[in-house]
């Protein structure tokens, strides 16, 4: 029985199931700033703001031509060694997230925004915006 319990994670991974392990800050910072999906180059634009009411971020996928079938699945904001993550409210190529507890970042601070995407086959993709400065939220 012990052997089976030790092998279970390997068996699940082989079947396409992976436990929800959050990515590390290093993994997020190594995400590409452009993806080639089906011959289309996709990039990310983001804007974030922090204030007394909390922290929010907006993201938008961009492509020179029509965007490939991608679904925004989550957003991560890296500030130094701190990480803020949230599901996204998404509509097409745009999404937003808001947290009342904030991300521990201050207006004017530089952050990296990374989105988790799913392609038409359900594969997980990561896309990072270049450094962006946090704005002031009302």
């Amino acid at each position: 029985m012990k052997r089976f319990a030790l092998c279970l994670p390997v068996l699940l991974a082989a079947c396409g199931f992976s436990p929800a392990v959050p990515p590390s800050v290093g993994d997020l910072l190594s995400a590409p700033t452009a993806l080639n999906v089906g011959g289309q180059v996709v990039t990310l634009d983001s804007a974030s703001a922090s204030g007394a009411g909390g922290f929010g971020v907006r993201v938008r996928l961009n492509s020179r031509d029509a965007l490939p079938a991608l679904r925004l699945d989550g957003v991560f904001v890296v500030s130094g060694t701190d990480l803020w993550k949230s599901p996204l409210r998404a509509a097409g190529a745009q999404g937003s997230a808001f947290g009342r507890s904030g991300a521990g970042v201050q207006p004017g601070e530089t952050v990296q925004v990374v989105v988790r995407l799913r392609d038409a086959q359900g594969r997980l993709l990561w896309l990072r915006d270049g450094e962006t400065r946090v704005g002031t939220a009302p």
Side-chain angles (χ1 to χ4, degrees):
M1 186 61 154
K2 263 187 176 176
R3 263 188 216 171
F4 178 73
L6 292 173
C7 294
L8 186 59
V10 174
L11 293 171
L12 290 173
C15 295
F17 175 80
S18 63
V21 177
S24 71
V25 168
D27 291 338
L28 291 169
L29 293 177
S30 66
T33 56
L35 289 174
N36 186 329
V37 180
Q40 299 293 335
V41 176
V42 179
T43 59
L44 176 69
D45 284 335
S46 67
S48 58
S50 184
F55 177 77
V57 64
R58 289 179 191 230
V59 295
R60 183 180 72 227
L61 299 175
N62 298 305
S63 180
R64 185 172 238 173
D65 298 314
L67 278 168
L70 293 171
R71 181 173 59 89
L72 288 162
D73 191 45
V75 64
F76 298 77
V77 177
V78 178
S79 170
T81 58
D82 294 331
L83 176 63
W84 181 81
K85 63 182 179 176
S86 177
L88 279 169
R89 283 174 294 203
Q94 297 185 42
S96 64
F98 178 78
R100 291 205 185 278
S101 62
V105 296
Q106 301 299 315
E109 189 173 337
T110 301
V111 296
Q112 295 266 302
V113 177
V114 182
V115 292
R116 183 177 53 214
L117 305 165
R118 299 263 178 197
D119 68 5
Q121 289 77 37
R123 291 179 295 213
L124 190 63
L125 304 169
W126 297 92
L127 184 60
R128 178 176 54 89
D129 192 5
E131 288 187 344
T132 184
R133 209 167 276 289
V134 176
T136 303

